[in-house]
């Protein structure tokens, strides 16, 4: 696994802050303006109180100033709230986009080293937490400025009153430090427990049919919810940290207020300060001990920091390396494997002998597929067929050896130029898009409606699409699809984006015999124009291919035409299950006759 963060020159918070500097500056100014208005209000209020006590005319100017400062504080706080919310939303969208793009640009083996559920949690909840850091930091100015300004105000009114407050300041600082550290630890543990639940839930959703068939729903329910105990513990721990901080501050802060007021009262009695000064001192003391906003900001920053740590491995994923080359212009799709090896958990450097250092999935595969021909890849389960298909179109880089397309190494091609040249169809295709037409058109380029319908006809999907409520415009959410229908949409998507290489990874397994026959004919029509690599489990698929690659334990057991390999009983054993079923229906003689005819 290569999810090791690289050292960065600037923190994630700084990078995010550079995305919307004007909004963050406005937020900073609003927070600062609100804090300054709050700090000016006690002085104005004290001066106004002194004016009223002196018995002179009503100090309307002082009263007006107090009203203006109150409105200014409220307005600045409202502006900061609006700016903070909107900027956080924009930064979250940017961070999600950047992280997702980084994951998609990396080699799938690296990106999928993070479990699917955990990856989903990181791309959703964690990005929102991490993106809040710049806004929280900009808004935290008020949380810092208020107590510092309040202490300064106390000193200006009376140094002895300020000294009384500072007696308890070390305890206040220790309380904030402990709160921040414990909140960060509890938040990180809580996020880890959330990721475990998300991963188990994703697994259960993917295997819902298996769980239903095995009647293990209750067991899966318990397995998914088992981490809830730890999640609850971490949640209680978080609230315990908050509760202790609140309890300690509830004890400490009134004592500080009482001490300030006691000293201020004594100084008032001694004639050192006036009534207005005492009113202002009490207000400043309240601002100085009001650490709620500061503790909230510190807690949010701690959560953001913990979330950012989980995103760092994704944001530092290396993109697929390349030399910026593209396939040869007009190439026929000539595919070549040169001593290709792939190992599970293998790295690019391999072991001491330069070979893959994990469990071998493919070993020393040397093969040439002429352009425009078809290759069936067969073998028992676990023989490396899907790994071969992934390496052929660079969904996976080999640990050793080279794969070339029309004489150009895949690792040298710019992925933006390679992807339009390679089309994939899978046994369980993902179906992005809002409507059925969107799904088929989705790809390196958006296929036009005519191409979408032609591809659907080639994949034998046009018939069932026509029966949907709105045809091609039917939302996928309103189109209940069987496994075979999903496969046909995946095939149609591949047909709608023709390149020089078409790879079907078990993409015909859910089709009935008649549908498969018509799809194979559509594949045959691409002969000479497109190289077709077909991971085959059915005898008929291997029989129609120009050449068969027989894999066994990741090694090439044999290659050649199907009719030649059929003479080997061990090759026939690969299809034993299907052959037995075909013999029961009398289909084997027909299959063999087809082979002989070819």
């Amino acid at each position: 696994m290569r999810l090791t963060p690289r050292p960065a020159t600037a923190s994630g918070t700084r990078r995010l802050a550079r995305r919307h500097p004007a909004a963050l500056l406005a937020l900073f100014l609003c927070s600062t303006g609100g804090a300054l208005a709050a700090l000016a209000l006690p002085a104005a209020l004290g001066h106004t109180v002194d004016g009223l006590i002196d018995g002179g005319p009503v100090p309307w100017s002082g009263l007006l100033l107090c009203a203006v400062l109150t409105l200014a504080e409220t307005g600045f706080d409202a502006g900061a709230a609006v700016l903070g919310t909107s900027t956080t939303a924009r930064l979250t969208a940017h961070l999600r986009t950047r992280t997702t793009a980084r994951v998609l640009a990396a080699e799938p083996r690296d990106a999928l080293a993070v479990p699917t559920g955990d990856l989903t949690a990181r791309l959703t909840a964690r990005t929102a937490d991490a993106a809040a850091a710049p806004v929280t930091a900009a808004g935290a100015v008020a949380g810092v400025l208020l107590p510092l300004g309040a202490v300064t105000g106390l000193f200006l009114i009376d140094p002895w009153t300020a000294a009384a407050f500072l007696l308890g300041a070390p305890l206040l600082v220790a309380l904030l430090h402990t709160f921040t550290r414990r909140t960060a630890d509890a938040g990180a543990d809580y996020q880890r427990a959330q990721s475990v639940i998300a991963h188990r839930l994703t697994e259960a959703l993917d295997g819902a049919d298996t769980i239903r068939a095995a009647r293990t729903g209750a067991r899966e329910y318990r397995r998914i919810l088992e981490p809830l105990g730890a999640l609850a513990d971490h949640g209680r721990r978080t609230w315990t940290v908050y509760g202790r901080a609140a309890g300690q501050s509830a004890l400490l802060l009134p004592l500080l207020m009482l001490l300030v007021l006691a000293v201020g009262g004594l100084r008032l009695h001694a004639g050192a300060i006036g009534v207005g000064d005492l009113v202002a001192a009490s207000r400043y003391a309240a601002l100085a001990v009001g650490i709620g906003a500061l503790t909230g900001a510190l807690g949010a920053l701690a959560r953001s920091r913990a979330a950012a740590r989980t995103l760092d491995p994704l944001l530092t994923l290396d993109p697929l390396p390349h030399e910026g080359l593209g396939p040869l212009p007009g190439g026929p799709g000539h595919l070549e494997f040169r001593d290709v090896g792939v190992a599970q958990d293998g790295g690019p450097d391999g072991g001491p002998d330069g070979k893959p250092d994990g469990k071998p999935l493919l070993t020393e595969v040397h093969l040439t597929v002429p352009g425009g021909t078809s290759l069936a890849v067969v073998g028992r389960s676990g023989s490396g067929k899907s790994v071969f298909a992934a390496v052929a179109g660079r969904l996976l880089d080999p640990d050793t050896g080279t794969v070339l397309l029309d004489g150009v190494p895949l690792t040298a091609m710019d992925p933006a130029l390679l992807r339009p040249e390679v089309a994939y169809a899978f046994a369980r295709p993902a179906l992005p898009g809002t409507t059925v037409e969107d799904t088929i058109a989705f790809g390196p380029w958006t296929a036009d409606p005519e191409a979408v319908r032609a591809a659907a006809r080639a994949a034998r999907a046009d018939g069932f699409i026509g029966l949907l409520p709105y045809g091609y415009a039917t939302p996928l959410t309103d189109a209940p699809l069987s496994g075979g229908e999903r496969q046909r949409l995946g095939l149609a998507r591949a047909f709608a984006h023709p390149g020089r290489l078409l790879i079907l990874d078990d993409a015909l397994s859910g089709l009935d015999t008649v549908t498969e026959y018509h799809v194979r004919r559509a594949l045959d029509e691409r002969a000479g124009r497109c190289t077709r690599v077909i991971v085959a489990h059915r005898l008929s698929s291997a029989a129609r291919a120009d050449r068969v690659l027989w894999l066994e334990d990741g090694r090439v057991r044999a290659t050649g035409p199907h009719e030649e390999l059929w003479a080997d009983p061990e090759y026939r054993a690969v299809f034993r299950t299907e052959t037995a079923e075909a013999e029961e229906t009398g289909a084997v003689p027909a299959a063999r006759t087809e082979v002989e005819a070819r």
Side-chain angles (χ1 to χ4, degrees), residues 357-433:
D357 56 357
K359 176 185 175 183
L361 302 177
L362 288 180
T363 305
E364 297 178 355
V365 176
H366 195 87
L367 177 73
T368 298
V369 185
T373 64
S374 60
L375 175 73
V377 185
V378 305
R380 298 182 186 277
S381 178
S383 60
K385 301 185 297 297
S386 290
V387 177
F388 179 91
V391 172
R394 209 190 179 192
L395 292 184
L396 179 69
D397 276 342
D399 294 305
T400 59
T402 307
V403 181
L404 299 95
L405 182 61
D406 289 325
V408 180
L410 295 186
T411 53
M413 298 182 191
D414 187 337
L417 297 177
L418 174 62
R419 290 273 67 88
E421 300 294 340
V422 182
Y424 269 95
F426 300 97
R428 298 178 62 187
L431 300 178

Side-chain angles (χ1 to χ4, degrees), residues 477-504:
T477 54
D478 297 336
L481 302 173
S482 67
E485 289 169 343
R486 295 179 68 89
Q487 280 193 355
R488 280 183 270 174
L489 288 182
L491 285 165
R493 182 173 58 206
F495 289 159
H497 301 86
R500 65 187 69 190
L501 181 60
L502 174 61
I503 301 173
L504 308 185

Side-chain angles (χ1 to χ4, degrees), residues 199-551:
H199 175 56
R200 293 184 180 182
L201 179 59
T202 302
E203 285 182 329
L205 292 174
D206 287 341
D209 291 339
T210 302
I211 294 170
R212 189 181 300 112
R215 300 181 65 83
T216 57
R219 186 190 310 166
E220 282 299 304
Y221 180 82
R222 291 192 297 270
R223 186 180 74 90
I224 295 170
L225 297 185
E226 183 269 333
L228 276 180
L231 188 71
D233 290 340
H234 299 320
R236 281 192 293 269
R237 197 169 120 217
T238 301
W239 287 112
T240 298
V241 171
Y242 275 100
R244 287 179 178 173
Q248 291 167 354
S249 62
L251 178 63
L252 175 62
L253 303 185
L255 289 177
L256 283 176
M257 282 287 297
L258 182 61
L259 182 60
V260 169
L261 290 176
V263 172
L266 292 175
R267 298 291 289 168
L268 175 64
H269 181 72
I273 61 175
V275 174
D277 292 332
L278 182 60
V279 171
S282 65
R283 293 286 299 170
Y284 280 131
L287 292 176
V289 300
I291 63 170
L294 186 57
T295 55
L298 291 174
L301 286 173
R303 290 192 300 274
S304 296
R305 185 178 179 183
R309 282 197 295 266
T310 67
L311 296 179
D312 281 342
L314 302 180
L315 290 170
T316 53
L317 281 171
D318 291 319
L320 282 172
H322 63 88
E323 298 172 11
L325 302 178
L328 295 177
H334 185 87
L335 187 64
E336 186 177 356
F337 280 60
R338 293 180 181 175
D339 297 320
V340 168
V342 178
Q344 189 175 28
D345 296 328
D349 300 327
D353 57 357
K355 295 183 178 182
D357 56 357
K359 176 185 175 183
L361 302 177
L362 288 180
T363 305
E364 297 178 355
V365 176
H366 195 87
L367 177 73
T368 298
V369 185
T373 64
S374 60
L375 175 73
V377 185
V378 305
R380 298 182 186 277
S381 178
S383 60
K385 301 185 297 297
S386 290
V387 177
F388 179 91
V391 172
R394 209 190 179 192
L395 292 184
L396 179 69
D397 276 342
D399 294 305
T400 59
T402 307
V403 181
L404 299 95
L405 182 61
D406 289 325
V408 180
L410 295 186
T411 53
M413 298 182 191
D414 187 337
L417 297 177
L418 174 62
R419 290 273 67 88
E421 300 294 340
V422 182
Y424 269 95
F426 300 97
R428 298 178 62 187
L431 300 178
T434 304
T435 65
V436 172
E437 182 169 351
D438 292 341
T439 295
I440 299 176
F442 184 87
W445 67 91
T446 301
D448 59 61
E450 182 178 349
V452 166
R453 282 154 179 76
R457 288 192 294 271
R460 305 295 287 181
D462 187 68
F464 77 80
I465 293 175
L467 298 176
L468 295 174
Y470 304 102
Y472 286 87
T474 302
L476 283 176
T477 54
D478 297 336
L481 302 173
S482 67
E485 289 169 343
R486 295 179 68 89
Q487 280 193 355
R488 280 183 270 174
L489 288 182
L491 285 165
R493 182 173 58 206
F495 289 159
H497 301 86
R500 65 187 69 190
L501 181 60
L502 174 61
I503 301 173
L504 308 185
D505 186 1
D506 201 19
L508 306 178
S509 59
L511 306 185
D512 59 79
T513 304
V514 174
T515 301
E516 183 197 5
Y517 170 77
H518 288 286
V519 171
R520 288 203 315 265
R521 288 189 60 181
L523 290 171
D524 292 342
E525 291 173 359
R526 285 162 171 75
R529 298 181 287 114
C530 172
T531 301
R532 291 140 290 144
V533 176
I534 305 166
V535 173
H537 292 278
R538 291 180 176 178
L539 179 63
S540 54
S541 296
R544 292 185 68 94
D546 296 317
R547 194 178 180 195
V548 174
L549 169 65
W550 178 13
L551 292 176

